[in-house]
Amino acid sequence: MRNQSSLGIMLYGMAGHARAFTSTSSRAAFTSTAKRSAGMPRRPNKLARASSGLDGNIGRLLSQLDASEPSEEVEWPTTRIRQTFIDFFADKYEHKFVPSSPSAPLNDPTLLFANAGMNQFKPIFLGQAQPGTELATLRRAVNSQKCIRAGGKHNDLEDVGRDTYHHTFFEMLGSWSFGDYFKKEAIDYAWELLTEVYKLEPDRLYASYFGGDEKLGLEADNEARDYWLQHLPESQVLACDAKDNFWEMGDTGPCGPCSELHYDRIGNRDASSLVNEDDPDVIEIWNLVFIQFNRDENGLTPLPAKHIDTGMGLERLCSLLQDKSSNYDIDAFTPIFDEIERLAGVGGYEGKLGEEDSTLKDTAYRAVADHARTLTFALADGAVPDNEGRGYVLRRILRRATRYGQQILKCEPGFFAKLVPVVVETYGDAYPELKQNQANIIEIVKEEEEAFSTMLDRGIKYFEEEINDSKSKIVSGGQAFFLYDTLGFPIDLTELMAEEAGMSVDMKGFEGEMEGQKKRSRDARLASKGLAGERLEFIAEQTAWLADEGIAVTDDSAKYLWDEGLESSVRAIFTADGFLKEGDAAEAGNTVGLVLDKSSFYAEAGGQDADIGTISFDGGEVVVNDVQVYGGYILHSGVISEGTLSVGDSVTCQVEYDRRRDIAPNHSMTHVLNAALREVLGDGCDQRGSQCNDEKLRFDFSHKKAMTPVQLRDTETYVKEIIGRSLPVSAEVMSLDDAKAIPGVRAMFGEVYPDPVRVVKVGDDCSVEFCGGTHISNTAEAEAFVLTEETAVAKGIRRITALTREAAVRAIEEGSKLTDRTAALEAIRADDTPDLDKQAGALRKDVDSAEFSAALKAELRARIEQVQKKGIEAKKRLLAGRVDKCLNTVKADVETALAEGKRTLVLNLDIGADSKASQKVIKAVQKIAPDLAFMGISEEEAGSGGKIL
């Protein structure tokens, strides 16, 4: 046994609980009066941080003790904690393991990210699970859900880095009962798992229950209280208000009381007064929601089937079982912090908070580590950084991490992508999609990081010189908008930098700048479509009003009919000022949005543009220029050309079917194009979006690099052959299970489809897809197909633009003309045509600007390039002959000048503007007459003005 030093120090922290440190000659040992179930902390805990206010020698000693601490195996690593939770419910209590849904729900544009485990089970809670589906038969479930809370209602982005427990990405351990067991079992299972399996100390646990609310007419949940009293003393079972202990999905819908479990990190005290008081040592770890009511306009009514929805943050549970005072000190963060330290230029993580973290180093460590997890998981699930929606949230997170890393941690540009493999290594066994997509994730992060790094220095310089250097303590709206619009700084990043500098941002001014930009964009978009009037749209407030008024959603089954008028009636009239009241009328010139009882108009959806047309009524009509659907209500927007219109009036819908005849083949050919790309590029090519209008079709798909000219031609040829085969295009509505069983069926990546679902088939073996759009009945109706462009949209996402019908025929004709012009140019003798390279350059410009086959365009560019090379080579040969002749003439003229005793000489030379030829002339003159003052003037072409040697 090693001899121990006589140095011993005892420090007292909260509530007088001691932590003892004993130093030895070779290492330091750290023990605690608190029970430990895990290895020693590798980074400073809360006590070590607090020691900075004590004697400096003690603080330094604590740092040394922590730094020299030996590495020990963690008894409860994150992987074991996660799997233990799943196995407990799945093996012992017959819960079905349901894999985590994607953290980025690509199928639900209303939800930025999955922010809770219950998201994928919403149809069950709402009573919308289709009979016969897996959801409809699910009774018990368990999983660990990948969650992201950044943007929207649930947004923790601003808090990440500033404390020890907020994350944008986290895992939610969840268990559910759908109309099966209820409160007693849920409480008993939770108690058994926490105290008997995880071995948490019962005297540190506090259970809260809903204490009732007279104003809301809600009684106390004494049932849950009594069940808890079977496990805990009365002093640890606490009644709380509706804010903390009554869960609601929304203003209406399923709801119920909940019961939260809180844990006291310190122990050996009465911590009941600290529950729900944001004390970092008394934290909520598990929420058990008892969904037993439905709320409607009449109040609460009991649900026929009662449900259980529980959620426990994995990182918080890990911090308890590993005895860490910070979520960022758990084992899952250790390798990420180690890699950041290797890349940083400011030293290791010290766990400081608030004023102690004056350099923001530890804030940056936490933020960068968190953001690395978020980006890795979101990108693995198919999301990509973009300029809108969830894509923009991801771009903001990445740029926030890049700024923290480069400015605060002094990392080199490109550091962030190097964290991805560490995250994959840490989580890849539990989430295999991380390993499968690692290379793609790194590529995307590298490209995004590189793009922002070029602007980061400019933005920081602008902020420090133009903003922070002024006397004002406010960043103006215009300055914030410049950083956002020109330098790519998300507004929250500007706010963060302003806060660090003791400043604030004029958000009202910024929002005014943003609104001005949006209005300009909206006006330009409407103008580009030739649409008149204001843009109208519904939000939740309007759809809720319609439902409250008893107005049924629009019956749009007639949208698949052709060349028929549809009789309907007006159920609501919406304007920029809101809904018209009963008895009011809209007049000629007014912009209105009509909600009808039924409609033959196709509302914009599934990448297909909306129908336009007219809605006529007695004495007038509405010219419809936009049709959108909101929660089942179809809003027909347009301008009343004549007459007056009121709610209840009878109307006739008349779609502009000639325009739809140009849209339908474009939509049908996106299905054929999808099949063509799989045939040419392989099954790894997945659809990521589409847009079909009356002019062209656009198709986005996953592919890592640009398609070659051969691949473009093969894809185009495939679609043309399908059109030439005159294959039938049919649609059938069937159950989702039957549709999924169709061989070769394709669906949009990440999409969730209704049951029953509409299935569109092209031929017997060409294409089978789920689709609700309008289509042609035979591929021959597309007439022709031209693939005009293939470009990048985002890293790993490509976009094809193509034409059908008359537009395609015109493109084919244009391609033929340019092919003929190229052939004619190729036939010209280069030696007889001095300007052949310029003719080729002019033709190249015409080819680049013309709209025709992208494959043919690549071919013609290559042929024109060869012509240009021939022309340049012929020019060089011609010039060489002219230079030799010129040199002979110059030598003779110089010798004559010398014989005549001249000291200066000016000559017109025929050597064009070739710099090498001019050097030959100058050297020849210098050799013959080094003291002669010589000037030569040469024109590239006659009349061009000349060049002085």
Side-chain angles (χ1 to χ4, degrees):
M1 183 175 180
R2 296 181 184 273
N3 293 325
Q4 295 191 4
S5 164
S6 60
L7 174 62
I9 300 174
M10 182 71 78
L11 299 178
Y12 284 83
M14 279 188 74
H17 295 287
R19 291 181 183 262
F21 298 79
T22 305
S23 172
T24 69
S25 58
S26 62
R27 65 181 179 89
F30 175 98
T31 61
S32 170
T33 56
K35 179 178 178 181
R36 291 191 171 277
S37 61
M40 307 303 181
R42 296 187 67 246
R43 287 185 296 278
N45 59 20
K46 181 171 57 183
L47 179 64
R49 291 195 300 272
S51 70
S52 61
L54 300 171
D55 179 81
N57 292 326
I58 295 176
R60 282 192 295 274
L61 176 61
L62 293 180
S63 297
Q64 293 166 5
L65 290 172
D66 186 78
S68 61
E69 190 174 275
S71 175
E72 296 187 15
E73 184 177 350
V74 177
E75 180 185 352
W76 280 104
T78 299
T79 52
R80 183 186 175 198
I81 295 171
R82 181 195 301 114
Q83 196 59 49
T84 297
F85 182 90
I86 293 170
D87 291 344
F88 175 82
F89 283 99
D91 296 343
K92 189 167 186 178
Y93 292 110
E94 300 178 332
H95 288 60
K96 179 179 175 61
F97 172 69
V98 179
S100 170
S101 62
S103 57
L106 304 183
N107 61 293
D108 186 356
T110 65
L111 187 63
L112 284 176
F113 301 102
N115 52 45
M118 57 80 64
N119 289 151
Q120 65 176 313
F121 303 118
K122 271 186 187 178
I124 300 177
F125 297 134
L126 294 171
Q128 297 172 351
Q130 295 293 330
T133 63
E134 184 178 359
L135 280 182
T137 58
L138 194 60
R139 309 302 292 171
R140 301 182 179 197
V142 62
N143 75 7
S144 182
Q145 172 66 44
K146 301 174 291 186
C147 296
I148 294 177
R149 290 187 177 175
K153 179 181 177 182
H154 301 284
N155 183 6
D156 290 337
L157 180 59
E158 307 306 321
D159 296 313
V160 169
R162 303 184 184 196
D163 57 36
T164 62
Y165 51 89
H166 276 103
H167 308 283
T168 53
F169 172 85
F170 63 97
E171 292 183 69
M172 182 70 79
L173 302 172
S175 61
W176 293 269
S177 167
F178 306 111
D180 192 359
Y181 64 81
F182 202 45
K183 293 180 185 178
K184 176 173 173 50
E185 292 85 350
I187 289 171
D188 288 346
Y189 296 163
W191 181 260
E192 180 184 353
L193 178 60
L194 291 180
T195 62
E196 297 180 23
V197 178
Y198 289 135
K199 305 295 185 183
L200 290 180
E201 297 180 28
D203 62 2
R204 296 191 186 196
L205 284 168
Y206 294 82
S208 66
Y209 68 94
F210 178 53
D213 192 311
E214 291 186 8
K215 292 182 179 178
L216 297 176
L218 297 171
E219 297 180 356
D221 187 9
N222 294 326
E223 183 183 11
R225 178 202 62 189
D226 293 343
Y227 287 136
W228 280 120
L229 288 174
Q230 295 176 18
H231 301 289
L232 287 166
E234 190 171 349
S235 61
Q236 291 173 238
V237 180
L238 312 173
C240 293
D241 60 19
K243 179 175 70 73
D244 292 313
N245 281 82
F246 195 88
W247 177 88
E248 298 185 80
M249 185 178 289
D251 293 335
T252 60
C255 57
C258 62
S259 188
E260 297 174 341
L261 277 162
H262 300 254
Y263 190 77
D264 178 19
R265 291 183 184 274
I266 294 176
N268 297 321
R269 61 174 182 168
D270 179 5
S272 58
S273 63
L274 301 177
V275 170
N276 283 330
E277 293 298 326
D278 290 327
D279 188 289
D281 289 315
V282 181
I283 60 172
E284 175 198 341
I285 57 172
W286 204 347
N287 189 12
L288 316 179
V289 179
F290 311 126
I291 304 175
Q292 63 188 91
F293 300 114
N294 184 68
R295 182 185 294 280
D296 57 23
E297 62 274 9
N298 298 317
L300 296 177
T301 56
L303 286 170
K306 296 176 173 60
H307 310 299
I308 293 292
D309 169 19
T310 85
M312 177 160 54
L314 175 61
E315 289 80 3
R316 283 194 180 184
L317 180 60
C318 289
S319 73
L320 298 182
L321 294 179
Q322 296 176 18
D323 198 17
K324 307 292 185 183
S325 60
S326 163
N327 287 3
Y328 289 93
D329 287 341
I330 66 174
D331 66 317
F333 276 100
T334 297
I336 305 174
F337 275 68
D338 288 345
E339 182 66 6
I340 295 173
E341 181 176 351
R342 188 183 71 81
L343 298 169
V346 293
Y349 178 64
E350 298 177 90
K352 293 180 180 178
L353 294 166
E355 293 181 359
E356 288 187 0
D357 187 26
S358 58
T359 66
L360 299 176
K361 180 187 72 173
D362 294 334
T363 297
Y365 259 96
R366 288 185 290 268
V368 170
D370 169 87
H371 295 354
R373 296 200 311 167
T374 301
L375 266 296
T376 302
F377 273 91
L379 269 55
D381 285 335
V384 291
D386 202 349
N387 284 328
E388 58 185 24
R390 67 172 63 91
Y392 184 61
V393 174
L394 295 178
R395 182 163 282 168
R396 288 167 52 204
I397 293 172
L398 191 149
R399 292 181 174 183
R400 194 173 188 262
T402 300
R403 202 279 301 193
Y404 266 131
Q406 293 186 29
Q407 185 182 15
I408 306 299
L409 298 178
K410 308 303 180 188
C411 297
E412 292 294 326
F415 81 96
F416 195 60
K418 296 176 182 177
L419 300 179
V420 172
V422 183
V423 177
V424 173
E425 176 66 24
T426 304
Y427 291 94
D429 289 339
Y431 300 102
E433 62 271 21
L434 298 178
K435 293 182 177 179
Q436 295 165 8
N437 294 286
Q438 176 173 327
N440 187 50
I441 297 168
I442 292 173
E443 280 188 49
I444 294 173
V445 171
K446 273 185 178 178
E447 186 173 278
E448 285 286 322
E449 190 178 0
E450 182 179 343
F452 183 56
S453 292
T454 60
M455 296 184 289
L456 181 59
D457 289 341
R458 288 177 58 201
I460 292 173
K461 183 178 180 182
Y462 175 80
F463 187 90
E464 292 177 347
E465 294 182 358
E466 300 295 328
I467 299 176
N468 196 23
D469 202 37
S470 66
K471 294 182 180 180
S472 174
K473 288 296 182 181
I474 297 176
V475 180
S476 72
Q479 291 171 324
F481 185 74
F482 175 79
L483 281 166
Y484 168 84
D485 191 51
T486 304
L487 300 179
F489 274 53
I491 185 60
D492 56 302
L493 181 53
T494 300
E495 286 186 293
L496 183 62
M497 293 172 66
E499 182 181 341
E500 292 169 2
M503 305 174 72
S504 62
V505 177
D506 176 11
M507 287 303 299
K508 187 175 181 180
F510 172 78
E511 289 164 2
E513 296 278 355
M514 282 291 292
E515 187 54 41
Q517 184 195 53
K518 290 178 181 178
K519 185 178 186 304
R520 291 190 295 272
S521 176
R522 281 195 301 267
D523 292 345
R525 187 168 63 250
L526 290 172
S528 69
K529 294 183 178 181
L531 306 181
E534 302 172 81
R535 178 173 174 79
L536 301 175
E537 57 186 0
F538 284 166
I539 57 175
E541 179 184 354
Q542 282 79 49
T543 54
W545 183 88
L546 291 168
D548 290 344
E549 292 295 309
I551 298 173
V553 297
T554 311
D555 174 7
D556 66 345
S557 56
K559 66 186 176 186
Y560 298 119
L561 301 178
W562 289 79
D563 300 317
E564 293 184 17
L566 179 72
E567 301 300 320
S568 184
S569 64
V570 178
R571 303 303 310 277
I573 300 177
F574 184 64
T575 71
D577 297 321
F579 289 102
L580 294 189
K581 297 178 181 179
E582 187 175 353
D584 291 345
E587 302 176 344
N590 291 165
T591 297
V592 294
L594 304 183
V595 177
L596 311 178
D597 64 338
K598 53 183 178 290
S599 174
S600 55
F601 283 84
Y602 182 87
E604 182 177 352
Q608 179 178 325
D609 269 17
D611 283 333
I612 61 174
T614 61
I615 296 176
S616 58
F617 52 91
D618 187 19
E621 70 174 11
V622 177
V623 178
V624 178
N625 54 43
D626 190 29
V627 184
Q628 301 289 331
V629 60
Y630 304 93
Y633 294 102
I634 294 181
L635 183 68
H636 308 75
S637 298
V639 177
I640 300 177
S641 60
E642 58 179 326
T644 59
L645 185 65
S646 300
V647 173
D649 287 353
S650 297
V651 297
T652 300
C653 298
Q654 188 59 56
V655 173
E656 191 177 307
Y657 287 106
D658 285 342
R659 177 175 174 274
R660 189 194 279 185
R661 282 189 175 84
D662 286 329
I663 297 175
N666 285 338
H667 196 158
S668 297
M669 288 307 105
T670 62
H671 290 214
V672 179
L673 177 59
N674 195 0
L677 289 169
R678 294 198 311 276
E679 179 71 21
V680 174
L681 302 178
D683 289 336
C685 166
D686 287 310
Q687 180 179 351
R688 289 303 178 87
S690 64
Q691 186 65 47
C692 308
N693 57 32
D694 57 329
E695 297 177 352
K696 60 188 176 184
L697 66 90
R698 193 188 73 199
F699 188 84
D700 296 347
F701 59 100
S702 57
H703 191 57
K704 291 186 177 180
K705 54 187 178 182
M707 293 175 67
T708 66
V710 172
Q711 290 172 331
L712 291 171
R713 185 172 294 282
D714 289 347
T715 301
E716 186 176 72
T717 299
Y718 182 101
V719 180
K720 286 181 175 179
E721 289 176 352
I722 294 298
I723 293 173
R725 288 168 58 187
S726 301
L727 297 180
V729 181
S730 60
E732 181 182 358
V733 177
M734 62 180 71
S735 73
L736 187 58
D737 285 343
D738 289 344
K740 287 180 177 179
I742 298 174
V745 69
R746 299 287 292 187
M748 173 72 175
F749 179 83
E751 186 68 78
V752 171
Y753 291 89
D755 191 3
V757 66
R758 188 167 181 259
V759 179
V760 174
K761 293 181 64 177
V762 179
D764 292 327
D765 58 1
C766 173
S767 170
V768 185
E769 294 193 25
F770 300 164
C771 182
T774 60
H775 289 271
I776 52 181
S777 60
N778 190 289
T779 58
E781 295 173 37
E783 299 177 19
F785 179 85
V786 175
L787 193 164
T788 60
E789 188 178 37
E790 192 264 354
T791 58
V793 177
K795 190 66 177 177
I797 306 295
R798 309 295 300 180
R799 171 173 294 168
I800 279 176
T801 303
L803 308 172
T804 64
R805 299 193 77 199
E806 291 90 344
V809 172
R810 289 193 298 271
I812 292 171
E813 292 172 349
E814 183 68 17
S816 297
K817 292 177 183 177
L818 290 166
T819 300
D820 291 344
R821 287 178 59 188
T822 303
L825 193 68
E826 289 171 324
I828 297 175
R829 278 180 50 84
D831 290 335
D832 298 336
T833 313
D835 67 341
L836 181 60
D837 60 323
K838 292 192 174 181
Q839 291 186 42
L843 179 57
R844 170 64 185 262
K845 289 181 180 179
D846 291 344
V847 167
D848 289 344
S849 62
E851 188 174 44
F852 65 103
S853 170
L856 178 57
K857 183 174 288 192
E859 176 193 324
L860 295 186
R861 283 170 174 163
R863 290 167 60 182
I864 293 169
E865 185 177 342
Q866 291 302 312
V867 173
Q868 281 181 307
K869 287 181 179 178
K870 282 198 309 181
I872 292 170
E873 288 169 359
K875 225 174 193 179
K876 286 180 179 178
R877 290 193 299 271
L878 181 62
L879 178 60
R882 288 164 58 190
V883 171
D884 289 341
K885 183 178 178 181
C886 179
L887 284 173
N888 292 331
T889 301
V890 168
K891 289 177 182 178
D893 289 344
V894 170
E895 289 172 351
T896 299
L898 290 175
E900 294 175 356
K902 293 181 179 180
R903 301 181 63 183
T904 62
L905 180 63
V906 178
L907 294 176
N908 283 319
L909 308 175
D910 183 21
I911 59 171
D914 188 272
S915 58
K916 290 183 179 179
S918 65
Q919 288 298 316
K920 286 183 179 180
V921 171
I922 291 171
K923 288 180 179 178
V925 173
Q926 287 176 336
K927 185 175 181 180
I928 300 170
D931 296 327
L932 180 70
F934 172 78
M935 176 182 290
I937 300 174
S938 176
E939 293 182 290
E940 182 174 8
E941 293 178 1
S944 65
K947 176 180 179 180
I948 298 176
L949 277 63

